[in-house]
Coordinates of all heavy atoms in Angstrom, one line a residue:
S1 N -3.6 -5.1 -6.8 CA -4.6 -4.0 -6.8 C -4.2 -3.0 -5.7 O -3.7 -3.3 -4.6 CB -6.0 -4.6 -6.4 OG -6.4 -5.4 -7.4
T2 N -4.3 -1.7 -6.1 CA -3.9 -0.6 -5.2 C -5.0 0.3 -4.9 O -6.0 0.5 -5.7 CB -2.7 0.2 -5.9 OG1 -3.2 0.7 -7.1 CG2 -1.5 -0.7 -6.1
Y3 N -4.9 1.0 -3.8 CA -5.9 1.9 -3.3 C -5.2 3.1 -2.6 O -4.2 2.9 -1.9 CB -6.8 1.2 -2.3 CG -7.4 -0.1 -2.9 CD1 -6.7 -1.3 -2.8 CD2 -8.6 -0.1 -3.5 CE1 -7.1 -2.5 -3.4 CE2 -9.1 -1.3 -4.1 CZ -8.3 -2.4 -4.0 OH -8.8 -3.6 -4.6
Y4 N -5.8 4.3 -2.7 CA -5.1 5.5 -2.2 C -6.1 6.4 -1.5 O -7.3 6.5 -1.8 CB -4.5 6.2 -3.3 CG -3.4 5.5 -4.0 CD1 -3.6 4.7 -5.2 CD2 -2.1 5.5 -3.6 CE1 -2.6 4.0 -5.8 CE2 -1.1 4.8 -4.2 CZ -1.3 4.1 -5.3 OH -0.3 3.4 -6.0
K5 N -5.5 7.1 -0.5 CA -6.3 8.3 0.0 C -6.4 9.3 -1.1 O -5.4 9.5 -1.9 CB -5.4 8.8 1.2 CG -5.9 10.1 1.8 CD -5.0 10.5 2.9 CE -5.4 11.9 3.5 NZ -6.8 11.9 4.1
D6 N -7.5 10.0 -1.1 CA -7.7 10.9 -2.2 C -6.6 12.0 -2.4 O -6.2 12.3 -3.5 CB -9.0 11.6 -2.1 CG -10.2 10.7 -2.4 OD1 -10.0 9.7 -3.0 OD2 -11.4 11.1 -2.0
S7 N -6.1 12.5 -1.3 CA -5.1 13.6 -1.3 C -3.8 13.2 -1.8 O -2.9 14.0 -2.1 CB -5.0 14.3 0.0 OG -4.5 13.3 1.0
V8 N -3.5 11.9 -1.9 CA -2.2 11.4 -2.4 C -2.3 10.8 -3.8 O -1.3 10.4 -4.4 CB -1.5 10.4 -1.5 CG1 -1.5 11.0 -0.1 CG2 -2.2 9.1 -1.4
K9 N -3.5 10.6 -4.3 CA -3.6 10.0 -5.7 C -2.9 10.9 -6.7 O -3.0 12.1 -6.7 CB -5.1 10.0 -6.0 CG -5.9 8.8 -5.4 CD -7.3 8.8 -5.8 CE -8.1 7.7 -5.1 NZ -9.5 7.7 -5.5
G10 N -2.2 10.2 -7.6 CA -1.4 10.9 -8.6 C 0.0 11.3 -8.1 O 0.8 11.7 -8.9
R11 N 0.2 11.3 -6.8 CA 1.5 11.7 -6.3 C 2.2 10.5 -5.6 O 3.5 10.4 -5.7 CB 1.4 12.8 -5.2 CG 0.8 14.1 -5.7 CD 0.9 15.2 -4.6 NE 0.1 14.9 -3.4 CZ 0.7 14.8 -2.2 NH1 2.0 15.1 -2.1 NH2 0.0 14.6 -1.1
F12 N 1.5 9.6 -5.0 CA 2.1 8.5 -4.3 C 1.8 7.2 -5.1 O 0.7 7.1 -5.7 CB 1.5 8.3 -2.9 CG 1.9 9.4 -1.9 CD1 2.6 10.5 -2.3 CD2 1.7 9.2 -0.6 CE1 3.0 11.5 -1.4 CE2 2.0 10.1 0.4 CZ 2.7 11.3 0.0
T13 N 2.7 6.3 -5.1 CA 2.5 5.0 -5.7 C 3.0 3.9 -4.8 O 4.1 3.9 -4.4 CB 3.3 4.9 -7.1 OG1 2.9 5.9 -7.9 CG2 3.1 3.5 -7.7
I14 N 2.1 2.9 -4.5 CA 2.5 1.8 -3.7 C 2.7 0.6 -4.7 O 2.0 0.4 -5.6 CB 1.4 1.5 -2.7 CG1 1.8 0.4 -1.7 CG2 0.0 1.1 -3.3 CD1 0.9 0.2 -0.5
S15 N 3.8 -0.1 -4.4 CA 4.1 -1.2 -5.3 C 4.7 -2.4 -4.4 O 5.1 -2.2 -3.3 CB 5.1 -0.8 -6.3 OG 6.3 -0.4 -5.7
R16 N 4.7 -3.6 -5.0 CA 5.3 -4.7 -4.3 C 6.4 -5.3 -5.1 O 6.5 -5.2 -6.3 CB 4.2 -5.8 -4.1 CG 3.8 -6.5 -5.4 CD 2.5 -7.2 -5.2 NE 2.2 -8.2 -6.2 CZ 1.7 -8.0 -7.4 NH1 1.6 -6.7 -7.8 NH2 1.4 -9.0 -8.3
D17 N 7.4 -5.8 -4.3 CA 8.5 -6.5 -4.9 C 8.4 -8.0 -4.3 O 8.9 -8.2 -3.2 CB 9.8 -5.9 -4.6 CG 11.0 -6.5 -5.2 OD1 10.9 -7.7 -5.5 OD2 12.0 -5.8 -5.4
R18 N 7.9 -8.9 -5.1 CA 7.7 -10.2 -4.6 C 9.0 -10.9 -4.3 O 9.1 -11.6 -3.3 CB 6.9 -11.0 -5.6 CG 5.4 -10.7 -5.6 CD 4.6 -11.6 -6.5 NE 3.2 -11.4 -6.4 CZ 2.3 -12.2 -7.0 NH1 2.7 -13.0 -7.9 NH2 1.0 -12.0 -6.8
A19 N 10.0 -10.7 -5.1 CA 11.2 -11.4 -4.9 C 11.8 -11.0 -3.5 O 12.5 -11.9 -2.9 CB 12.2 -11.1 -6.0
R20 N 11.7 -9.8 -3.1 CA 12.3 -9.3 -1.9 C 11.3 -9.2 -0.8 O 11.6 -8.8 0.3 CB 12.9 -7.9 -2.2 CG 14.0 -7.9 -3.2 CD 14.6 -6.6 -3.4 NE 15.7 -6.6 -4.4 CZ 16.4 -5.5 -4.7 NH1 16.2 -4.4 -4.2 NH2 17.3 -5.7 -5.7
N21 N 10.0 -9.6 -1.0 CA 9.0 -9.5 0.0 C 8.9 -8.2 0.6 O 8.8 -8.0 1.8 CB 9.2 -10.6 1.1 CG 7.9 -11.0 1.7 OD1 6.8 -10.9 1.1 ND2 8.0 -11.5 3.0
T22 N 8.9 -7.2 -0.2 CA 8.8 -5.8 0.2 C 7.7 -5.0 -0.5 O 7.2 -5.4 -1.5 CB 10.1 -5.0 0.0 OG1 10.4 -5.0 -1.4 CG2 11.3 -5.6 0.7
V23 N 7.3 -4.0 0.2 CA 6.3 -3.1 -0.4 C 6.9 -1.7 -0.3 O 7.4 -1.3 0.8 CB 4.9 -3.1 0.3 CG1 4.0 -2.0 -0.1 CG2 4.3 -4.5 0.1
N24 N 6.8 -0.9 -1.4 CA 7.4 0.4 -1.4 C 6.3 1.5 -1.6 O 5.2 1.2 -2.1 CB 8.4 0.5 -2.5 CG 9.6 -0.4 -2.4 OD1 10.1 -0.5 -1.3 ND2 10.0 -1.0 -3.5
L25 N 6.6 2.6 -1.1 CA 5.7 3.8 -1.3 C 6.5 4.9 -1.9 O 7.3 5.5 -1.2 CB 5.1 4.2 0.0 CG 4.0 5.4 -0.1 CD1 2.8 4.9 -0.8 CD2 3.6 5.9 1.3
Q26 N 6.3 5.1 -3.2 CA 7.0 6.2 -3.9 C 6.2 7.4 -3.7 O 5.0 7.4 -4.1 CB 7.2 5.8 -5.4 CG 7.7 7.0 -6.2 CD 9.1 7.3 -5.9 OE1 10.0 6.4 -5.7 NE2 9.4 8.6 -5.9
M27 N 6.8 8.5 -3.2 CA 6.1 9.7 -2.9 C 6.7 10.8 -3.7 O 7.9 11.1 -3.6 CB 6.1 10.0 -1.4 CG 5.6 8.9 -0.6 SD 5.7 9.3 1.2 CE 7.4 9.3 1.4
N28 N 5.9 11.4 -4.6 CA 6.4 12.6 -5.4 C 5.7 13.8 -5.1 O 4.6 13.8 -4.4 CB 6.2 12.2 -6.9 CG 6.9 11.0 -7.4 OD1 8.1 10.8 -6.9 ND2 6.3 10.2 -8.3
S29 N 6.2 15.0 -5.5 CA 5.6 16.3 -5.2 C 5.1 16.4 -3.8 O 4.0 16.8 -3.5 CB 4.4 16.4 -6.2 OG 4.8 16.3 -7.5
L30 N 6.0 16.1 -2.9 CA 5.7 16.1 -1.5 C 5.3 17.5 -1.0 O 5.8 18.6 -1.5 CB 6.8 15.6 -0.6 CG 7.0 14.1 -0.7 CD1 8.4 13.7 -0.2 CD2 5.9 13.4 0.1
K31 N 4.3 17.6 -0.1 CA 3.7 18.8 0.4 C 4.0 18.9 1.9 O 4.2 17.9 2.6 CB 2.2 18.9 0.1 CG 1.9 18.7 -1.3 CD 0.4 18.7 -1.5 CE 0.0 18.6 -3.0 NZ -1.5 18.7 -3.2

């Protein structure tokens, strides 16, 4: 389950990689 600050919704994506025990933040359309 993911949750975002309003101003980054639709631009940022948080995801998990269980195999590597990492969490990523993909940021698009940076301002």
